[in-house]
Amino acid sequence: MRENLNEKCAVVGIFNHEEASKLAYFSLHALQHRGQEAAGISSGDGERLHTIKDRGLVTQVFDEQKLGTLKGHMAIGHTRYSTAGDDSILDAQPVHANYDLGQLSIVHNGNLTNHQEVRRELIKKGAIFQSSMDTENLIHLIAKSDQGKLKDRIVDAVKKIEGAYSLVFLSRSKMFAMRDRFGFRPLSLGRIGDGYVVASETCAFDLIGAEYIREVEPGELLIFEKGKAIQSIKVYEPTPKHCIFEYVYFARPDSQVYGQNVYQKRKNMGIELAKEQPVEADMVVPVPDGGVPAAIGYSQQSGIPYEMGIMRNHYIGRTFIEPTQEMRDLKVKMKLSPITNLIKGKRIIVIDDSIVRGTTSRRIIRMLKEAGAAEVHMRISSPPTTDPCFYGVDTPDKDKLIAANMNTQEICDYIEADSLAYLSNEALMRSVNSEDDSYCTACFTGEYIV
Ligand code: AMP
């Protein structure tokens, strides 16, 4: 079985607010797109931590009565992304433990690249693990550290781990937020009343009425303590390598990620795509919802009308949720359907943000052809996804990535399109206004950072 890593999850932390657990709940609701498998919240009242977590969507895991038991002025929360083949509640977060300094809860977004080595070492020294989550390593590292204070133990622990992590911790009286030195996964800081909030994406701030302050810096540890100003410790010099795929697909368009708006970046990708890969057609149609901003950009740049030619049924989860290929095929069918009147006899440019296995594109093109489309030209607003992600995005192994195994013409034949073209790496960088190398683009280039 594959290790359960804390892939594309969401984390949130609320400090110094009398309705902390409710605000954490609403924040998780805004961040539901980052993970639909499990949800959990730990709260703290200065005396004890309380934790509730379970499999399911945020609204399925929590109700008024449960939230009522999560008392206290601080709370952390997590939504977990599904990984193939596991259904254990032990893999839901927050991860909670009692140790010599008291109680501790952790939520984690990202993947630790050295988790197996660290775990082997810990087991050799007598540690016992309950789950296969890399986050549990952190609990052990903190518990074993010989430092007296929790903040020093956290610093000690993160120096032993490598990879991607946006973490929020809750102790009996404090909250901590820490981001890896590369800032792989996003984490922002906001203010609400006299309190603070940290969250994976700022769409959570908008929902609860919090004001955006700034990002948690790569390599920074923030400490929140009642009656005191936030303390910031630079554990590492920041060397930003932000995940570009957050802009391409993962984050919500209304969020600020890495300090900039996601919608605008995605629309820029569409504009650049229209410049690089023009084609004569009657309409531009997005694959909803991921392809929408790029399709608007493509349409505006090319002057070809934008049409919602494909409808999405919103009551189906993401198609990646199902581990088997048959279920994924079925789910695409259940999720998307064409507006036949609009499509019949037309030359269509279909825009999607990415092709991973090729399942979605192939299905959609068949569906449009069956609906009578005269031509279907596929345009992808990112470069070919050729390499798996080890830093927190759930991409399949290389042998299942279609672009790792076929060239563009072969993929075009496989998905049965009349033409296929991707955005170039250079144009992707222009779209995100990057003149430096502050992004991780390993999924498109194979150039891994750690
Ligand atoms: P596939 O059918 O495997 O080619 O998947 C491509 C579709 O999945 C596209 O419509 C993308 O918007 C979406 N997608 C891309 N990356 C991911 C991911 N990591 N998790 C879930 N969906 C994704």
Side-chain angles (χ1 to χ4, degrees):
M1 199 187 83
R2 140 182 207 184
E3 286 280 332
N4 296 336
L5 307 167
N6 303 292
E7 298 179 309
K8 304 185 317 174
C9 305
V11 295
V12 60
I14 310 281
F15 192 81
N16 202 26
H17 196 285
E18 56 189 26
E19 307 242 62
S21 62
K22 275 200 187 132
L23 293 184
Y25 167 83
F26 285 115
S27 301
L28 290 182
H29 198 269
L31 298 169
Q32 185 78 79
H33 61 286
R34 298 184 71 86
Q36 297 98 37
E37 192 192 23
I41 296 175
S42 288
S43 75
D45 52 16
E47 296 298 322
R48 285 197 51 204
L49 300 186
H50 313 266
T51 300
I52 294 179
K53 58 179 176 175
D54 208 344
R55 290 176 53 71
L57 300 173
V58 179
T59 50
Q60 294 167 328
V61 173
F62 294 101
D63 57 25
E64 193 77 40
Q65 186 264 329
K66 281 188 184 148
L67 283 174
T69 66
L70 292 172
K71 295 196 190 322
H73 63 281
M74 50 185 195
I76 60 173
H78 188 263
T79 62
R80 192 179 131 74
Y81 196 79
S82 66
T83 47
D86 59 81
D87 57 0
S88 170
I89 174 66
L90 292 174
D91 289 325
Q93 296 204 21
V95 179
H96 178 88
N98 294 307
Y99 71 122
D100 61 333
L101 297 186
Q103 292 185 299
L104 183 65
S105 256
I106 306 185
V107 289
H108 173 201
N109 173 209
N111 279 357
L112 304 183
T113 47
N114 66 339
H115 68 278
Q116 273 157 336
E117 295 95 288
V118 171
R119 177 159 297 206
R120 266 199 300 274
E121 235 359 79
L122 285 164
I123 289 173
K124 236 197 263 168
K125 292 190 182 133
I128 296 167
F129 286 88
Q130 298 196 350
S131 76
S132 47
M133 267 186 297
D134 50 359
T135 313
E136 225 189 320
N137 291 1
L138 268 170
I139 293 257
H140 284 280
L141 290 171
I142 290 169
K144 281 191 171 319
S145 164
D146 51 18
Q147 297 291 327
K149 289 195 163 152
L150 178 54
K151 73 169 187 209
D152 299 321
R153 289 192 180 198
I154 291 175
V155 172
D156 227 19
V158 297
K159 292 215 159 142
K160 300 200 170 74
I161 61 174
E162 274 164 28
Y165 49 88
S166 285
L167 296 160
V168 193
F169 302 78
L170 211 56
S171 71
R172 189 173 58 90
S173 60
K174 300 191 189 88
M175 185 173 90
F176 303 80
M178 171 90 215
R179 201 168 168 211
D180 66 71
R181 73 181 100 171
F182 302 107
F184 279 121
R185 309 258 65 88
L187 193 63
S188 294
L189 171 67
R191 195 188 323 269
I192 181 154
D194 296 329
Y196 292 99
V197 47
V198 289
S200 298
E201 291 181 37
T202 61
C203 59
F205 297 178
D206 300 335
L207 180 64
I208 63 172
E211 179 200 342
Y212 173 76
I213 302 175
R214 66 174 175 88
E215 279 195 272
V216 178
E217 292 291 320
E220 185 181 30
L221 171 64
L222 293 179
I223 305 170
F224 302 82
E225 193 173 352
K226 223 173 174 164
K228 293 194 181 165
I230 303 177
Q231 195 189 338
S232 159
I233 299 175
K234 270 200 174 169
V235 181
Y236 291 108
E237 268 309 304
T239 32
K241 287 286 176 194
H242 303 310
C243 167
I244 196 87
F245 210 70
E246 291 277 351
Y247 280 150
V248 168
Y249 167 78
F250 201 42
R252 233 171 72 163
D254 54 334
S255 285
Q256 300 274 117
V257 157
Y258 318 135
Q260 298 185 58
N261 173 246
V262 175
Y263 176 83
Q264 195 53 53
K265 303 290 172 213
R266 245 169 241 174
K267 190 173 161 192
N268 289 348
M269 291 170 202
I271 292 171
E272 293 290 338
L273 186 60
K275 289 184 195 163
E276 278 192 338
Q277 301 293 350
V279 54
E280 251 184 63
D282 302 308
M283 63 178 78
V284 178
V285 169
V287 176
D289 295 324
V292 171
I296 292 172
Y298 194 103
S299 163
Q300 289 180 1
Q301 177 64 33
S302 63
I304 301 171
Y306 171 92
E307 298 284 0
M308 282 297 293
I310 302 170
M311 291 314 296
R312 173 169 172 187
N313 182 334
H314 281 267
Y315 305 97
I316 312 271
R318 287 185 171 181
T319 49
F320 263 44
I321 281 172
E322 296 305 333
T324 64
Q325 188 65 39
E326 298 77 64
M327 276 307 289
R328 268 194 293 273
D329 283 342
L330 184 66
K331 272 214 159 181
V332 177
K333 262 197 256 176
M334 286 164 70
K335 190 157 115 177
L336 300 171
S337 47
I339 300 185
T340 308
N341 298 2
L342 191 67
I343 279 165
K344 208 167 177 186
K346 298 289 184 348
R347 297 167 301 167
I348 296 169
I349 302 172
V350 179
I351 311 276
D352 203 356
D353 56 82
S354 56
I355 298 179
V356 182
R357 295 176 178 85
T359 318
T360 309
S361 311
R362 186 177 158 106
R363 263 272 119 225
I364 286 171
I365 290 162
R366 280 217 179 151
M367 187 177 83
L368 293 173
K369 291 266 168 95
E370 278 164 18
E375 291 170 20
V376 180
H377 303 277
M378 194 81 199
R379 293 291 178 274
I380 303 296
S381 58
S382 66
T385 305
T386 48
D387 293 84
C389 177
F390 301 114
Y391 313 131
V393 173
D394 184 29
T395 38
D397 294 338
K398 194 157 174 139
D399 61 338
K400 302 225 171 51
L401 288 172
I402 194 165
N405 301 291
M406 291 185 193
N407 65 32
T408 302
Q409 187 53 51
E410 288 165 341
I411 300 171
C412 182
D413 295 342
Y414 174 79
I415 65 174
E416 298 168 4
D418 292 287
S419 75
L420 165 68
Y422 291 88
L423 190 67
S424 70
N425 273 311
E426 298 69 36
L428 178 65
M429 288 301 126
R430 281 199 296 279
S431 309
V432 300
N433 308 324
S434 177
E435 275 153 21
D436 51 26
D437 55 356
S438 59
Y439 289 97
C440 172
T441 56
C443 52
F444 304 130
T445 58
E447 289 163 18
Y448 295 102
I449 286 115
V450 285

